[in-house]
Amino acid sequence: MLEDLGQQALINIISHVFFIGIAFFALQALNFEKLLRANRVFQARLLYILLTIVIGSVASNFFLDYLNWSRQLQLLF
């Protein structure tokens, strides 16, 4: 039982880091300079990091929910 929780925690951590990395890679395709004010470099970087974390976490949670639901389908029968 505890071993399953440890494995689930490891899968969650790997999934979040993976999807945050993908979100970071995908956000590099956007040109944020046109949207931001001049001389606000720190705020722009902070916004970029927060957007990356939010998008990556949402995508990871969707993936993990889908994985858990597919595992629970066997309990239906």
Side-chain angles (χ1 to χ4, degrees), residues 6-55:
Q7 290 173 355
Q8 187 68 29
L10 182 62
I11 290 171
N12 289 352
I13 290 170
I14 290 171
S15 174
H16 276 74
V17 169
F18 176 74
F19 280 103
I20 288 172
I22 288 176
F24 179 77
F25 179 71
L27 283 176
Q28 289 178 348
L30 296 177
N31 189 4
F32 281 114
E33 287 82 20
K34 293 181 181 179
L35 299 173
L36 302 172
R37 294 182 187 171
N39 300 324
R40 303 287 181 153
V41 176
F42 177 74
Q43 292 170 335
R45 288 182 183 166
L46 184 62
L47 176 65
Y48 193 78
I49 291 169
L50 292 175
L51 276 174
T52 301
I53 292 170
V54 167
I55 292 170

